[in-house]
């Protein structure tokens, strides 16, 4: 087999993940258990899927010393001619499967012709049900697009009535465990620790969409045509994929929404509904609509349970975990990601295992448990390299960069992030590259190279605005605020913090809201407006405790301590500082040393 | 019981036991479904009709796909033979093309020809040198039909041409159009000779001769000529009913179930019902006898020890098997389908509720999607327990037949005939109708 061909099979295999699909395992189990005549109807959305199934099944049977015989049907005419010679198909001992496949999606140009050919063929074969049963002491597989089921039921009811079972094989949903928005730093006013939290990374969500306008053009032809509602829905989904590929997330969201509405209304099969739910969820996350995305992922998870697809369940748990992280709810994110990890390990799906570990790492990072986060990210990286998934590798390396930045090791952070950016460019993942740029900016800030940091942020922000990626924008705005503040331009910093705050509130990101409130507190404090600063800190503290972000809580406690001391309320200041110290020490934050020192001074004064 | 990995050999054995093949009486898997108290037995009814008739009778037997027609015909044969009847079996499709229109001349020839074949297969005594095929060929020589015109030389030619040559069948039809009376006499004479010979051999113990002519319900045409073929079948049983009876012979034809809807009172048709699992009341209260029959079927297929191993010991775990039975609609093939799906998915024993759920979901998906108009009709059937046939137009009759053939709608009898929607799709139907109602503009 040539390298190209081998590569094609590997790509297809990766898209379908057959080993993890219950419906595929059911098919293989059948061949292990069955003897004599059987009729299996295999439904799959595209010809490539059928080709993969035939290839894999052939290999499975070959390993058992059996053969799969395939009847080639390159044209509708060839299919129509099948009944004429079907019963003459020669058989040999060891033949275990006779494969008859013609998969044509219902939105293709030749769909009507293929449908007609299947109708005629099945109607004719139906008349020979008994001779077929007598002639073929093996499993007959008829493989077609999902619409084949209805055609067979209607035009070949005798054959349909003796089916052994129907199996549905779908490509894996294009699922990306989503990453939280960029999170801004809470700085004790005594020094810029730069201990920022950077945006974590999504794995690749290359939807592979084609020309979305072409898809919309085809869709428009089906509007108002009775009976074509699901075909229209599929084209709209396709347009959504195309827009997502171009990173036009608003248009993608619109197309997916319309597709979903149609699919719900006209009772699309669960796997089709699932695709659109997941993709729309991903688009919503990107434009900052986290709660709607959570609702969509929940629905998708229910469907996964309904159809018994554990892989879907695992993936949706991962997506939900990621979405809750975006909202700053690390506790819920951890719970869901652990469930995802359990299922991924049960199914021995390394890709999803890696994804779940990445989300757990991010949840730990958000809760300021950095060592544990690093442990998770290292496992994520090992798996990504093992399964040769460069998107996951890029994500893991970037996550490690972020983690080391949290520990204050900015040099190491820069090394990891630059490595990740190089990989993102190599695999042409420009979305990753943008996120990593923003993270790199934080690391440069940590090294005191603020101007370099601002350059990184502004490049990333321009791109994030261009593609309407609200999540990215939120984080970058906050980081720009920090950078300008570090340069002494507090008014400009406040402008950026306020933009980021508005955006975080609009998208329901509580963590982002809290971080920006705290940063506004620091900025107003810098301007000498202590009371105003204190009000912002109090608001930030409430939310930080609500979402369980310990670093943010500690930083805000410390900031309020500083303001209270400046307002001559030493008792309250010491109380707040002690509370902050306790948390900084628990999370091994380097700020603990500075807080301890300052506390000693204040106690001495008292 | 703690879950254990499912042993491969057990699963293999079970899976093969769950394959659907028509069963002969005496087969260990045969479940005497209709020989139970409280269940109407169509075979018993047909036996009575034969017993109560003097010398001959004609009956129609039907059932929807997967209802067990062929198996019950075999039971009828066995029961009648026990009563001293000679019972022969003929397959209409051996010589008739299910995709072509049928006419009385072809049917009569094939009826006699298959009877002749059955006599040979059963090893019963011949009554002359000639099979019917030779007889008919000879008969043609007495008519103005020239053998060369129809491409015949011998009876073997006739057999072969009937099986393989559509043009031959058409030619024969045309040539014999004006010879139906003569043809009928020829056929009747052949049967009479055969019956005489059988009775002579059996002596006084011969209660009568029965001929089961199966598979006529398969004659339904193709996509392009379905209406014409169906019309031809309808015409046979209306215009030529008298020609379909054979003197001295008890004849059972299997016929398509839709005949019931177009010829409601012309000829009584015994239709094999689904096993009733619930009563015809709004609450669909369970019908225990039906449940027991299906439970017995499952036990029989699995075997007692294997059943306990697979589903767990009786008591709470028997409910797992009952969950599958509850949604099968009283249809064996659907029950076997559900059981097969379960076996294919099981990894540990006893089977878990999740595996049962997934099997049910998988089989339910075989019925989907359901078109809105279909859902509305099905909803009416579910509410009224009546076919809700608005007209006897072919289109409507065909659609209802499709519902019955594909088990969307189930047919029951318990003193009266009634219908209901398959349990696997009731919820889906209800949701579709509710959704449509919610989206419809309010009436002014």
């Amino acid at each position: 087999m040539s390298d190209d061909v081998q590569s094609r099979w590997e790509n297809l295999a990766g898209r379908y993940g057959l080993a993890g699909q219950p419906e595929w395992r059911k098919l293989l189990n059948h061949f292990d258990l069955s003897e004599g005549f059987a009729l299996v109807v295999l439904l799959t959305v595209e010809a490539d899927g059928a080709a993969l199934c035939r290839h894999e099944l052939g290999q499975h049977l070959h390993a058992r010393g059996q053969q799969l015989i395939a009847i080639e049907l390159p044209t509708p005419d060839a299919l129509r001619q099948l009944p004429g010679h079907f019963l003459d198909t020669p058989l040999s001992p060891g033949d275990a499967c006779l494969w008859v496949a013609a998969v044509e999606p219902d939105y293709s140009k030749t769909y009507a012709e293929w449908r007609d050919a299947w109708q005629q063929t099945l109607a004719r074969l139906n008349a020979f049900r008994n001779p077929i049963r007598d002639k073929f002491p093996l499993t007959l597989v008829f493989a077609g697009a999902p619409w084949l089921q209805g055609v067979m039921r209607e035009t070949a009811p005798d054959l349909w009535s003796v089916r052994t079972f129907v199996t549905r094989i779908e490509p894996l949903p294009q699922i990306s465990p989503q990453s939280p928005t960029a999170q801004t730093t809470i700085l004790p006013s005594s020094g810029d620790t730069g201990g920022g939290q950077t945006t974590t990374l999504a794995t690749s969500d290359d939807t592979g969409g084609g020309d979305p306008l072409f898809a919309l053009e085809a869709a428009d032809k089906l509007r108002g045509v009775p009976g074509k509602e699901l075909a229209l829905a599929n084209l709209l989904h396709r347009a959504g994929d195309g827009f997502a590929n171009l990173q036009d997330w608003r248009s993608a969201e619109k197309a997916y929404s319309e597709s979903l509405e149609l699919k719900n209304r006209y009772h699309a099969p669960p796997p089709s509904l699932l695709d659109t739910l997941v993709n729309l969820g991903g688009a919503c996350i990107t434009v900052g609509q986290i709660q709607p995305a959570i609702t969509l992922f929940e629905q998708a998870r229910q469907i996964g349970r309904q159809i018994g697809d554990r892989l879907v369940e695992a993936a949706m748990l991962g997506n939900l975990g990621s979405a809750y992280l975006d909202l700053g709810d690390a506790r819920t994110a951890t719970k869901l990601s652990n469930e995802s990890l359990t299922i991924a390990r049960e199914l021995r799906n390394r890709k999803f295992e890696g994804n779940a570990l990445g989300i757990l790492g991010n949840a730990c990072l958000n809760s300021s448990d950095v060592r544990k986060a690093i442990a998770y990210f290292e496992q994520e990286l090992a798996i990504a390299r093992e399964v040769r998934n460069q998107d996951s590798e890029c994500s893991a390396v970037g996550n490690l960069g972020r983690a080391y930045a949290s520990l204050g090791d900015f040099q190491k952070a820069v090394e990891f992030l630059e490595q990740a950016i190089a990989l993102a460019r190599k695999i042409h993942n420009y979305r990753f590259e943008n996120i990593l740029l923003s993270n790199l900016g934080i690391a440069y800030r940590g090294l005191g190279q603020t101007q370099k940091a601002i350059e990184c942020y502004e490049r990333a922000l321009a791109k994030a605005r261009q593609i309407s990626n609200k999540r990215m924008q939120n984080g970058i705005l906050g980081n720009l605020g920090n950078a300008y503040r570090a340069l002494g331009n507090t008014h400009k910093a406040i402008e950026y913090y306020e933009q980021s705050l508005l955006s975080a509130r609009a998208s329901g990101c509580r963590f982002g809201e809290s971080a920006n409130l705290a940063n506004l507190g620091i900025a107003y404090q810098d301007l000498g407006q202590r009371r105003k600063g204190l009000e912002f800190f109090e608001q930030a503290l409430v939310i930080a405790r609500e979402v369980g972000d310990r670093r943010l809580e500690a930083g805000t406690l410390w900031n309020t301590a500083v303001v209270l001391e400046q307002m001559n309320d030493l008792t309250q200041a010491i109380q707040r500082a002690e509370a902050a110290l306790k948390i900084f020490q628990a999370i091994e934050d380097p700020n603990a040393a500075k807080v301890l020192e300052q506390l000693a001074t204040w106690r001495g004064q008292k | 019981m703690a879950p254990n990995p499912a042993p491969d050999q057990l699963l293999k054995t079970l899976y093969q036991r769950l394959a659907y093949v028509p069963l002969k009486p005496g087969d260990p898997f045969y479940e005497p479904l209709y020989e139970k108290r409280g269940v109407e037995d169509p075979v018993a009814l047909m036996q009575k009709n034969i017993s109560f008739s003097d010398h001959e009778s004609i009956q129609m037997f039907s059932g929807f796909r997967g209802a067990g027609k062929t198996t019950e015909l075999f039971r009828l044969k066995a029961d009648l033979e026990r009563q001293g009847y000679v019972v022969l079996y003929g397959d209409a499709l051996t010589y008739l093309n299910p995709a072509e229109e049928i006419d009385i001349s072809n049917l009569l020839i094939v009826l006699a020809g298959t009877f002749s074949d059955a006599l040979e297969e059963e090893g019963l005594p011949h009554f002359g040198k000639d099979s019917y095929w030779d007889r008919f060929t000879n008969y043609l020589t007495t008519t103005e039909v020239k053998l060369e015109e129809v491409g015949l030389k011998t009876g073997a030619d006739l057999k072969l041409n009937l099986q393989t040559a559509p043009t031959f069948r058409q030619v024969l039809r045309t040539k014999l159009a004006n010879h139906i009376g003569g043809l009928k006499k020829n056929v009747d004479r052949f049967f009479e000779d055969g019956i005489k010979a059988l009775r002579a051999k059996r002596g006084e113990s011969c209660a009568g001769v029965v001929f089961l002519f199966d598979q006529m319900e398969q004659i339904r045409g193709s996509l392009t000529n379905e209406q014409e073929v169906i019309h031809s079948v309808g015409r046979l049983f209306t215009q030529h009913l008298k020609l379909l009876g054979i003197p001295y012979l008890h004849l059972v034809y299997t016929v398509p179930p839709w005949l019931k809807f177009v010829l409601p009172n012309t000829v009584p048709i015994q239709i094999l019902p689904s096993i009733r699992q619930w009563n015809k009341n709004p609450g669909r209260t369970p019908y225990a006898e039906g449940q027991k029959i299906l439970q017995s079927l499952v036990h029989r297929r699995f075997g007692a020890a294997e059943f306990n191993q697979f589903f767990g010991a009786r008591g709470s775990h028997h409910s797992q098997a009952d969950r599958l039975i509850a949604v099968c609609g009283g249809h064996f093939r659907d029950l076997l389908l559900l059981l097969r799906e379960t076996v294919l998915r099981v990894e540990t024993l006893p089977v878990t509720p999740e595996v049962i759920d997934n099997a049910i979901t998988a089989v339910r998906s075989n019925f989907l999607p359901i078109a809105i108009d279909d859902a509305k009709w099905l909803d009416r059937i579910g509410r009224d327990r009546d076919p809700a046939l608005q007209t006897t137009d072919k289109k409507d009759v065909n659609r209802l037949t499709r519902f019955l053939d594909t088990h969307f709608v189930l047919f029951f009898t318990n003193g009266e005939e009634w219908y209901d929607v398959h349990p696997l799709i009731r919820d889906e139907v209800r949701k579709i109708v509710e959704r449509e109602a919610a989206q419809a503009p309010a009436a002014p």
Side-chain angles (χ1 to χ4, degrees), chain A residues 26 39-41 149 159-167, chain B residues 15 18-20 297 301 324 327-328 331-345 358-360 362-367 406-407 422 424:
Chain A
K26 184 173 95 175
L39 174 63
V40 171
V41 180
Q149 174 168 288
L159 271 177
W160 177 251
S161 76
V162 298
R163 72 195 180 285
T164 307
F165 60 87
V166 177
T167 191
Chain B
Y15 192 65
L18 295 170
Y20 185 83
L297 184 151
R301 289 271 175 162
L324 295 171
V327 296
C328 76
H331 241 290
F332 316 127
R333 281 196 196 167
D334 287 350
L335 180 53
L336 293 177
L337 201 56
L338 285 159
L339 291 166
R340 279 201 300 271
E341 284 278 348
T342 307
V343 170
L344 283 175
R345 288 162 191 278
N358 293 340
I360 291 172
V363 175
R364 177 180 290 121
S365 74
N366 287 189
F367 289 84
T406 51
H407 311 172
H422 200 295
L424 277 173

Side-chain angles (χ1 to χ4, degrees), chain A residues 17 88 183 196 237 245 280 347 399 431 464 484 497 504 510 514 564 592:
Chain A
D88 298 328
Q183 290 145 358
H237 178 100
N245 212 35
L280 179 56
L347 300 176
N399 282 341
R431 200 165 85 89
Y484 278 106
Y497 289 146
R510 296 289 271 163
S514 177
L564 286 165

Side-chain angles (χ1 to χ4, degrees), chain B residues 28-49:
Chain B
F29 291 153
Y30 177 75
E31 182 65 29
L33 296 164
Y34 301 100
E35 295 152 75
K36 312 263 181 182
R37 190 174 55 87
V39 181
E40 257 185 25
D41 185 352
V43 166
L45 286 171
M46 285 194 286
Q47 273 180 29
K48 271 189 199 155
N49 283 337

